[in-house]
Amino acid sequence: MNKNMKKEIKRGLVPYVFMFLIILGVLYFVNVLNQNIHNLTYNQFMTELSSGEVKEITVTTRDSAQIYEVEGTLKKYKKDESFYVRLPKSEQVMKKIVDYSEAQEFKMTAKPDPESSALLIVLVNVLPFVVLIGLAFFFFNRQMAGNKSSLDFGKSKARLSDDKNKVTFKDVAGLKEEKEEVAELIDFLKNPKKFQKLGARIPKGVLLVGPPGTGKTLLAKSVAGEANVPFYFISGSDFVELFVGVGASRVRDMFQQAKRNAPCLIFIDEIDAVGRQRGTGLGGGHDEREQTLNQLLTEMDGFGANEGIIIIAATNRPDVLDPALLRPGRFDRQVTVNLPDVRGREEILAVHAKNKKLADGITLSNLAKRTPGFSGADLENLLNEAALLAVRRNKDKITMSEIDEATDRVLMGPAKASHKYSENDRKLVAYHEAGHAVIGLKLDNANDVQKVTIIPRGAAGGYNMMVPSEEKMCSTKTDLLEEITGLLGGRTAEEITFGEITTGAHNDFEKATKIARAMVTEYGMSDLGPLQFEQQEGSVFLGRDYNKSQHFSNEVANEIDMEMRKIINDCHKKATEIIKANKDLLKKMADISQQIADIQENQRLDKLQQKEKDKRTRRWIWVIISIVVVLVTLLLLQIFPNITNYMRKGIQIIGGLGGFWGFCNLGLNIWSKFKSH
């Protein structure tokens, strides 16, 4: 019996325990409610009092009603019997009761009037007024807070970071050159006289540029942590509001706060939300955003002095920023934060792996080589996904299996293991992916083949994981041609093996065509010569990223098409030659990929069968427990025949519920077996 099954059994015992406690509570209250209370008259009580039948009494004074409430028991009463009587409030009556109590020596307890309690008087008379006054103040403050917030639109939303989550350069990995660029800011904030002696002017602003997830925000936080100065952070979208002039007012207020706490740092994340080019777009510009930008330009380099205030901004769209924002005196320095190289990735992995338990044999250097193009955020997500998979599989450490699966998840999405291929489709996918792999193995400049799978992920029916043997800054013409050849390997394998073509190479053709067109129109890698025929022009807000200007005639356009066709056809011919020369390798790789897929499918089915088996086992355990409960119930009824009726009924109910529970589980077991057969 494994740990999970034990936990489920323990959780299953909880309903029985709660059921038992509820039944005991109900029986107790039923017993209390069923007590026999006799209402006596004044004369009856005095008769019993004088005859010495009173065993004990409790006298409660009621000043408002001018009576005594007397509760007690008589000697002739049974255990669950008592009496209640109301007597007139007078000294004579009380004197009689006291005298009889002293003479007969029965227990007498006197209680004061509960309504005369000072606390109760306060609660009854004062509390309602306090509640009303409190509610009035609450709604009044809400109203005033609303009016105040409506009047505080112009206040800055910049937040001052605390020292609890302080970030330093040690927490930033893979950005060695970038940290050196901003280190001057830290030195200036700590020792400004050092720069003033030589007449040096520290940059007023530093713009961090780079793709998402590369660590721009983290780098800015580390500057503040190293300098140990106040750090204000705000998003560019926090400036822009519905009302005109609010953004400009917030900019002024932000700089006023910064001046009071100088020297300090101001970090504006996603500055492209407020710093876009002015006067762009159809129908004129955005007045509010332009006013906000104008105020920001004035505060950064206007007539006012902002000594000791350094602006750090981050964006992944520097092409949309206003030129006035990028000139010297505002953002003097641009620091490009690119995707990390293999060494940077290893350092980043080392930071995120500090709190992860990795199995022996896993090296971060090998993992860094297998993740080209990953940002810092991607690497953190990779290790987190691996940790989640390890927990899901009840492992104490993260193994290479979880890391491989996490890499596939980050790149392609979760596996669709339950997706059923037809035998023909499965064979097609296997040979298609094997065709890519064969081309990658036989070409000299192709990427190294790491993994081939036909298990569908995301929108892909299968995929190849190919990583470069070494990272390059530029790609040669040979590299691009071999990349196209590799992309055409899947379609070529289908043609040679089956004599038929499918739609599976749609994405491959898209990538190959894009590379071929760029070679001809942008890179000058064709017989047309070193000319650039297409380039991006115009405003980004008018579709610059989607429209390319064409500075050529129709004849040249035809020549471009011919050159692209020539590149694709030559690569396809080369791929055909390689596939035909390596048919045995193609078949072997396709067969192996299908065998691996069969093994994984069998493992998945085994897990499902094991889960169903464990479920049936748990049901039988509950049948046995229910039988034991019934037997114990019968045994208790035989051992304790004189048990009260209430307890007897409770035990019978528990036994009946246990039997019903067991009967249901037994029926489910029988039904599952019948269904399986």
Side-chain angles (χ1 to χ4, degrees):
M1 192 182 297
N2 55 23
K3 294 181 179 179
N4 293 331
M5 190 178 294
K6 290 180 179 178
K7 289 181 180 179
E8 291 187 11
I9 292 172
K10 288 179 180 179
R11 285 197 296 266
L13 287 173
V14 174
Y16 282 108
V17 175
F18 273 105
M19 211 182 301
F20 182 74
L21 294 175
I22 290 171
I23 291 172
L24 289 180
V26 170
L27 292 175
Y28 173 77
F29 283 108
V30 168
N31 190 32
V32 171
L33 292 173
N34 285 335
Q35 286 185 350
N36 295 322
I37 300 176
H38 302 277
N39 292 317
L40 303 182
T41 62
Y42 175 80
N43 294 328
Q44 290 174 339
F45 173 71
M46 288 299 176
T47 302
E48 300 289 350
L49 189 65
S50 61
S51 61
E53 290 292 325
V54 176
K55 187 176 181 180
E56 62 177 348
I57 60 173
T58 301
V59 182
T60 304
T61 305
R62 296 286 184 181
D63 293 330
S64 59
Q66 294 295 308
I67 59 171
Y68 294 120
E69 289 184 349
V70 181
E71 297 175 354
T73 58
L74 302 178
K75 296 178 180 179
K76 61 183 179 181
Y77 282 174
K78 296 180 181 179
K79 194 174 182 180
D80 57 345
E81 289 182 311
S82 63
F83 69 85
Y84 173 80
V85 62
R86 304 176 72 179
L87 306 176
K89 183 183 176 183
S90 67
E91 294 182 359
Q92 296 178 354
V93 173
M94 181 56 65
K95 187 175 182 304
K96 285 184 181 180
I97 296 174
V98 172
D99 292 340
Y100 279 118
S101 168
E102 293 176 352
Q104 301 175 7
E105 296 183 351
F106 62 83
K107 184 179 179 183
M108 176 183 171
T109 304
K111 291 183 178 180
D113 189 0
E115 297 180 357
S116 63
S117 173
L119 180 61
L120 185 63
I121 293 174
V122 171
L123 292 176
V124 173
N125 297 315
V126 180
L127 187 61
F129 295 99
V130 173
V131 171
L132 290 175
I133 294 171
L135 289 173
F137 271 105
F138 173 75
F139 287 111
F140 180 76
N141 289 331
R142 286 278 304 267
Q143 187 69 23
M144 290 299 294
N147 293 334
K148 186 178 179 182
S149 62
S150 65
L151 297 174
D152 288 346
F153 270 129
K155 296 294 182 181
S156 172
K157 290 187 176 182
R159 297 171 295 278
L160 185 65
S161 67
D162 52 7
D163 296 332
K164 295 181 180 179
N165 301 319
K166 191 175 181 180
V167 180
T168 61
F169 279 169
K170 294 180 180 179
D171 303 312
V172 183
L175 301 176
K176 183 179 179 181
E177 291 79 8
E178 290 81 356
K179 287 189 287 188
E180 291 177 355
E181 286 289 329
V182 298
E184 290 180 356
L185 305 178
I186 301 170
D187 196 12
F188 171 78
L189 292 170
K190 289 183 177 180
N191 190 13
K193 293 181 180 180
K194 175 181 173 182
F195 295 86
Q196 294 170 0
K197 283 181 181 179
L198 296 177
R201 180 183 61 82
I202 201 68
K204 293 185 178 181
V206 177
L207 183 65
L208 304 178
V209 180
T214 52
K216 299 184 294 294
T217 304
L218 188 65
L219 181 61
K221 289 182 179 179
S222 67
V223 174
E226 290 287 341
N228 198 21
V229 296
F231 180 69
Y232 292 92
F233 58 97
I234 190 172
S235 175
S237 60
D238 290 335
F239 291 110
V240 183
E241 287 283 356
L242 175 65
F243 303 104
V244 178
V246 172
S249 178
R250 288 178 178 176
V251 171
R252 287 191 297 269
D253 186 69
M254 180 182 67
F255 276 89
Q256 287 174 3
Q257 292 182 31
K259 289 175 184 178
R260 289 193 294 267
N261 295 277
C264 67
L265 286 169
I266 298 177
F267 175 64
I268 305 175
D269 199 9
E270 306 296 342
I271 194 173
D272 52 279
V274 70
R276 294 190 175 188
Q277 297 179 22
R278 292 165 292 179
T280 57
L282 299 174
H286 192 293
D287 290 339
E288 168 60 7
R289 189 175 62 238
E290 290 192 2
Q291 288 189 23
T292 306
L293 176 58
N294 291 335
Q295 186 64 41
L296 181 62
L297 296 174
T298 303
E299 293 289 344
M300 290 186 68
D301 189 23
F303 288 103
N306 292 323
E307 296 181 358
I309 301 175
I310 296 176
I311 311 294
I312 302 177
T315 181
N316 52 24
R317 294 298 306 274
D319 54 326
V320 305
L321 296 179
D322 195 277
L325 197 62
L326 302 176
R327 73 160 177 83
R330 290 180 176 129
F331 285 109
D332 307 83
R333 185 176 297 177
Q334 290 190 27
V335 179
T336 302
V337 186
N338 288 319
L339 293 171
D341 57 5
V342 62
R343 185 179 298 177
R345 292 196 296 273
E346 185 177 352
E347 294 176 0
I348 294 170
L349 287 169
V351 172
H352 294 301
K354 286 181 180 178
N355 61 341
K356 306 288 192 305
K357 295 182 179 179
L358 301 178
D360 298 335
I362 297 178
T363 59
L364 298 179
S365 59
N366 183 33
L367 184 56
K369 293 177 182 178
R370 299 180 57 183
T371 52
F374 277 51
S375 65
D378 292 332
L379 295 172
E380 190 275 334
N381 187 36
L382 170 65
L383 291 179
N384 185 62
E385 286 287 344
L388 293 174
L389 286 170
V391 173
R392 192 182 302 172
R393 296 173 181 178
N394 297 319
K395 292 185 177 181
D396 297 330
K397 293 183 178 181
I398 301 172
T399 64
M400 203 64 200
S401 174
E402 284 76 44
I403 291 179
D404 285 337
E405 176 66 20
T407 305
D408 295 340
R409 280 174 169 265
V410 174
L411 290 173
M412 303 294 295
K416 300 178 180 178
S418 60
H419 183 74
K420 293 291 184 181
Y421 277 128
S422 65
E423 191 63 30
N424 187 40
D425 288 343
R426 187 181 177 188
K427 194 173 182 180
L428 277 169
V429 173
Y431 274 89
H432 181 101
E433 300 301 332
H436 289 303
V438 169
I439 299 294
L441 292 172
K442 295 301 177 180
L443 291 177
D444 296 332
N445 297 324
N447 295 335
D448 298 335
V449 180
Q450 295 286 334
K451 184 177 183 180
V452 180
T453 178
I454 62 172
I455 296 176
R457 288 182 179 272
Y463 82 100
N464 280 283
M465 180 184 288
M466 303 175 69
V467 298
S469 56
E470 59 180 6
E471 297 185 15
K472 301 177 181 179
M473 293 294 294
C474 299
S475 298
T476 63
K477 182 179 180 180
T478 303
D479 293 336
L480 296 176
L481 290 174
E482 291 193 355
E483 186 175 355
I484 295 174
T485 305
L487 290 169
L488 299 176
R491 165 61 68 87
T492 306
E494 295 176 10
E495 292 175 345
I496 295 174
T497 306
F498 305 101
E500 187 63 86
I501 57 177
T502 67
T503 59
H506 172 268
N507 188 250
D508 298 332
F509 293 159
E510 182 181 356
K511 294 178 181 178
T513 305
K514 187 177 180 180
I515 296 172
R517 188 168 191 85
M519 290 176 64
V520 178
T521 62
E522 298 181 31
Y523 306 148
M525 296 180 178
S526 68
D527 294 339
L528 297 179
L531 296 173
Q532 190 177 51
F533 296 99
E534 294 179 348
Q535 57 185 356
Q536 294 178 345
E537 288 185 352
S539 173
V540 65
F541 306 104
L542 298 178
R544 186 196 67 192
D545 293 343
Y546 305 99
N547 298 319
K548 294 183 179 180
S549 59
Q550 298 180 353
H551 300 286
F552 50 83
S553 62
N554 293 331
E555 290 79 6
V556 175
N558 185 50
E559 293 180 7
I560 291 173
D561 294 339
M562 296 296 293
E563 287 293 326
M564 289 174 57
R565 188 176 290 111
K566 181 183 176 183
I567 292 173
I568 297 294
N569 290 336
D570 290 345
C571 291
H572 182 254
K573 184 178 178 181
K574 188 175 182 180
T576 304
E577 294 174 355
I578 295 173
I579 295 294
K580 285 183 177 179
N582 298 276
K583 281 187 177 181
D584 295 338
L585 179 61
L586 178 71
K587 185 178 183 303
K588 187 179 292 185
M589 294 188 69
D591 292 341
I592 291 173
S593 60
Q594 292 184 81
Q595 291 173 8
I596 294 174
D598 289 337
I599 293 171
Q600 292 178 341
E601 177 65 17
N602 292 332
Q603 290 176 348
R604 188 182 70 86
L605 293 175
D606 290 342
K607 287 181 180 179
L608 292 175
Q609 290 176 359
Q610 186 63 38
K611 286 183 179 179
E612 186 64 27
K613 186 179 178 180
D614 293 342
K615 188 185 290 184
R616 288 196 296 268
T617 304
R618 287 191 296 270
R619 287 173 179 171
W620 280 113
I621 291 172
W622 285 119
V623 169
I624 295 170
I625 291 175
S626 301
I627 293 173
V628 171
V629 170
V630 173
L631 294 175
V632 170
T633 301
L634 296 174
L635 184 64
L636 287 173
L637 294 175
Q638 293 295 325
I639 295 174
F640 303 103
N642 297 325
I643 197 169
T644 63
N645 292 330
Y646 299 109
M647 296 299 295
R648 181 182 292 274
K649 289 180 181 179
I651 294 173
Q652 289 174 348
I653 291 171
I654 293 173
L657 290 173
F660 178 74
W661 198 295
F663 178 77
C664 291
N665 282 282
L666 181 63
L668 289 172
N669 276 320
I670 296 172
W671 171 252
S672 60
K673 285 187 176 181
F674 176 77
K675 192 176 180 181
S676 62
H677 290 298

